[in-house]
Amino acid sequence: MRAIVSVNRVRRVVQIGALLLLVLPWLGVPMIWIGNYLASHLFGIGLADPLAVIETSLAGRAFYLSSFIAALPLIIVSVFLGRVFCGWVCPVHTLLEWAHTASPKWPFFKKTAKKNIILPTSILIIALFGSLWTAVPLFTTVSPIGALSRVIYFGILSELVLVLIVVLLEFFQPMFWCRRLCPVGILYGWLGAGKLVGISVDADQCNDCGICRTQCSMQVDPGGKGLYNTVACMNCGKCVSVCSKRALRFSLKKIWQRNEVEDGISTQL
C-alpha cells in the first residue's frame, strides 16, 4: 500500500518543484531556469509550449526551427506519456487542485458537467485559425499559464486577475478550466491519444467499487476505453493511489496490443 500511495506523494513533490522553478531567478540561480512556462531554458536546454510555438508560427506565417526544437521534448513526452504535463507540472492545474479540495464547501458548487472534449478542441482550433487570421498568437497572449508565470517571475499583479477568474470557476464545477476550456491541455491530450504508458486495470483484483472514478477530477474511467478516457486522462496516478485493491497501475502498453487495456508490462511505483 505504501508503494501505491507514494505515486501521489511524488507527484506533489514534482508540482511544488515546478512552482519553485519560477522563483529560482529571485534566489540568484538564473542558470538553472530562465523564462516561464511558455518559453524557457532549463539547464541551458530550450523548452517551449507546443501551442505557443504553433500559434507564433501561424501568426508570423513562418516556420521557426529553433522554436520547434524547443517544443520537441514536450511533444515527445506527450506522445509517450499523454497529458502528463497537466497532471504533474502545470502550475495552473496545481492551483486548481488545491481549490478543488475546498469547492464542495462553496455555496455555489454545482454538479459535475458532462464529459466533453468537443468544446476545448473547438477552442484549440479557433485559437489556431484566429492566430493565422489576426497575425497574433491569440491564446498565448491571454494564457493563464503565462499570466501566472509572469505574476511570479516579474511581479505583474495585474495578470493575477486572469488567474483568479480561472480559479473561481473551480467553485462552480471541478476542473472546469482543465476539462472544458484549456486548449493547451487538449492539445497534449490529442498528442498523447496513442500514448504507450497509461493506466491499466487488473480485472482479477478490481471489485468495481468505483472509488477511482469518483476521485478522478477529470471524470475519466481509469483504464477504460473510449476517446474521452484516452484524451482527458492526465496520467496523474490519483486513481492508483486511492485503489485499496491495488488493481490499478501504470503500464507500458505493447504497441501491437495497444487497445487491450489489461495487457502491458507493469511499471507500478
Side-chain angles (χ1 to χ4, degrees), residues 111 147 155 185 252 269:
K111 65 180 181 180
L252 178 61
L269 298 178

Side-chain angles (χ1 to χ4, degrees), residues 77-255:
V77 169
S78 298
V79 170
F80 278 88
L81 301 178
R83 203 169 165 173
V84 70
F85 172 84
C86 301
W88 288 72
V89 177
C90 178
V92 173
H93 178 76
T94 299
L95 291 179
L96 294 183
E97 277 198 350
W98 294 343
H100 179 55
T101 60
S103 60
K105 304 175 183 178
W106 193 259
F108 300 106
F109 180 74
K110 304 296 183 183
K111 65 180 181 180
T112 305
K114 295 181 179 180
K115 299 178 181 180
N116 192 324
I117 58 174
I118 296 178
L119 180 57
T121 301
S122 300
I123 293 175
L124 171 63
I125 294 173
I126 291 172
L128 295 178
F129 278 99
S131 298
L132 180 63
W133 180 265
T134 64
V136 175
L138 292 182
F139 180 75
T140 301
T141 303
V142 298
S143 169
I145 300 175
L148 180 59
S149 300
R150 290 188 290 271
V151 169
I152 298 175
Y153 194 81
F154 299 111
I156 306 176
L157 295 181
S158 59
E159 300 266 18
L160 194 58
V161 175
L162 177 60
V163 178
L164 289 176
I165 291 175
V166 172
V167 173
L168 286 175
L169 290 175
E170 190 67 12
F171 294 102
F172 292 88
Q173 286 181 348
M175 291 298 156
F176 186 90
W177 171 259
C178 298
R179 289 189 299 103
R180 306 278 289 174
L181 301 176
C182 183
V184 175
I186 200 66
L187 175 60
Y188 282 127
W190 284 115
L191 287 173
K195 57 183 177 290
L196 298 182
V197 176
I199 304 296
S200 293
V201 180
D202 185 340
D204 294 331
Q205 294 293 327
C206 179
N207 62 357
D208 200 26
C209 66
I211 293 178
C212 58
R213 292 188 291 271
T214 59
Q215 291 298 311
C216 179
S217 56
M218 295 296 290
Q219 293 185 271
V220 167
D221 182 8
K225 298 180 181 180
L227 191 58
Y228 181 84
N229 292 325
T230 301
V231 174
C233 178
M234 295 182 176
N235 259 351
C236 67
K238 187 184 297 183
C239 56
V240 178
S241 297
V242 300
C243 181
S244 61
K245 297 296 182 179
R246 304 187 68 169
L248 297 172
R249 64 184 63 192
F250 289 104
S251 290
L252 178 61
K253 301 175 183 178
K254 299 175 184 178
I255 298 177

